[in-house]
Amino acid sequence: MARALLKAGLGLGLAGGVAAAASTYRSDIHAARARLEARSRLVDTARGPVELADDGDGPPALVVHGAAGGFDMGRQVGKDVLGDGYRVLAPSRFGYLRSPMPALASHADQADLFAAMLDALDLPRVAVVAVSAGAQSATQLALRHPDRVSALVLITPALHLPPPPDRGALTKGPPGFIFDYVLASDVVAWLMVRLAPRALMRVAGVPPELDSQVTPELRRHIVDWFLPARDRHVGLAHDMATTTPTAPDLPIEQLRMPVMLVATADDPFKTGDVVRYSAPRIPDVELVVYDTGGHVLVGQDERLRRAVREFLEASAQPGR
């Protein structure tokens, strides 16, 4: 009798735990979707629709998000990097959130859609800020439509870096199964957030030694950019197919606007090496490499904001 009661108690406890976890999951995913509602709109362009958040007043700045994310990442990056005094235009790239994945979805196609979006908004010229995987389409915009870009800021960018001659192809980013399976499912991604938060920090490019320096606000933003995972996975899978393990080599020697490259020496995705390789190829470039901060520049917020604002203000002066 005692053994039967123990089994029944364990069964009830397990069922209760599962029910509580399911309730928490539903609540978290509902909150993630609610956070995105009414924060963006669909803009009809000559090249199709694009989801866009449009916030603030001042000189317009197009902010292009990285892998994972969507307009919400771009919106937050714009707030963190630019501060007040800018109109932040934060689109969702192909396959992210409400931006569809078209049949033609190269980085060049994405750049042409950005240009069409600027047409629809009646904006002849903007500053462009891009992070991580967003650097490919942002750079393509600057190359294909140079008259639309007053200045280009690329932060921890996924630009080309040739492999060392004595080694094989470079390996950049977390293991593929993270993107193929974990971040394809709301349930599995939520379990990682809840049960393995350090693994999520690794996916975001935070070195283990910086875990203690990640503020609760930044940790919350990183979680927000991965959930709901299902609504971002088409775009994320496209990024993984087109920017890893080595990003395409673009003719960055042809960039004619002022360009700022920002990275950290301890970024596990090797963007410190990327920007050092890229900078000598760009005619008008400012290079900033912080010693620490990882891929999301932990602890560098104020320095980065000051550097970017000074760069954009200088770029806006006559003669630049």
Side-chain angles (χ1 to χ4, degrees):
M1 179 64 72
R3 185 175 298 173
L5 289 174
L6 178 60
K7 288 183 177 180
L10 290 174
L12 288 172
L14 179 61
V18 170
S23 176
T24 302
Y25 162 76
R26 287 192 297 269
S27 176
D28 286 353
I29 295 299
H30 175 76
R33 295 188 187 283
R35 180 179 53 81
L36 298 172
E37 290 178 0
R39 299 289 181 90
S40 66
R41 60 189 172 101
L42 286 178
V43 176
D44 290 322
T45 81
R47 297 185 66 90
V50 59
E51 183 179 30
L52 176 71
D54 186 346
D55 297 314
D57 297 304
L62 172 63
V63 182
V64 185
H65 69 86
F71 79 85
D72 52 335
M73 178 191 284
R75 188 170 180 262
Q76 188 63 49
V77 168
K79 179 180 178 182
D80 291 344
V81 172
L82 299 173
D84 297 329
Y86 283 88
R87 178 184 175 186
V88 174
L89 308 167
S92 295
R93 293 190 287 112
F94 289 148
Y96 282 99
L97 300 177
R98 292 195 292 158
S99 284
M101 176 64 73
L104 298 176
S106 68
H107 298 303
D109 292 315
Q110 179 71 84
D112 291 345
L113 177 59
F114 288 157
M117 183 188 75
L118 296 179
D119 289 338
L121 298 173
D122 195 25
L123 291 172
R125 205 160 183 249
V126 297
V128 177
V129 178
V131 295
S132 193
Q136 282 286 318
S137 54
T139 304
Q140 286 279 20
L141 176 64
L143 290 168
R144 296 169 68 83
H145 306 275
D147 56 320
R148 313 304 296 270
V149 179
S150 60
L152 179 63
V153 179
L154 303 177
I155 301 171
T156 56
L159 294 178
H160 181 71
L161 180 65
D166 58 339
R167 289 164 50 193
L170 291 169
T171 299
K172 294 195 299 180
F177 78 88
I178 292 288
F179 297 102
D180 294 340
Y181 300 102
V182 175
L183 298 180
S185 163
D186 285 346
V187 173
V188 180
W190 176 82
L191 285 171
M192 182 174 72
V193 167
R194 284 285 178 169
L195 302 180
R198 290 187 178 181
L200 186 65
M201 294 300 106
R202 301 295 84 76
V203 172
V206 177
E209 59 271 19
L210 296 184
D211 276 348
S212 62
Q213 298 179 38
V214 177
T215 64
E217 182 180 29
L218 177 57
R219 196 176 303 274
R220 185 178 68 253
H221 289 324
I222 291 173
V223 170
D224 287 346
W225 297 333
F226 283 102
L227 293 176
R230 189 177 59 190
D231 295 358
R232 309 177 195 267
H233 186 254
V234 171
L236 181 59
H238 180 259
D239 277 342
M240 294 303 102
T242 57
T243 60
T244 60
T246 300
D249 192 9
L250 301 177
I252 56 178
E253 296 86 356
Q254 299 174 20
L255 292 169
R256 292 296 175 260
M257 67 290 297
V259 177
M260 183 180 199
L261 300 177
V262 182
T264 64
D266 66 345
D267 184 349
F269 303 156
K270 306 300 181 185
T271 59
D273 295 338
V274 167
V275 297
R276 290 190 184 97
Y277 171 76
S278 299
R281 301 171 59 193
I282 301 173
D284 185 356
V285 67
E286 181 173 331
L287 176 63
V288 177
V289 181
Y290 300 116
D291 290 336
T292 66
H295 197 62
V296 293
L297 288 99
V298 175
Q300 302 293 354
D301 298 27
E302 292 185 10
R303 294 175 69 189
L304 176 62
R305 186 183 305 116
R306 183 169 58 252
V308 171
R309 288 180 66 98
E310 289 176 355
F311 170 77
L312 292 180
E313 289 166 5
S315 300
Q317 297 300 314
R320 285 299 299 267

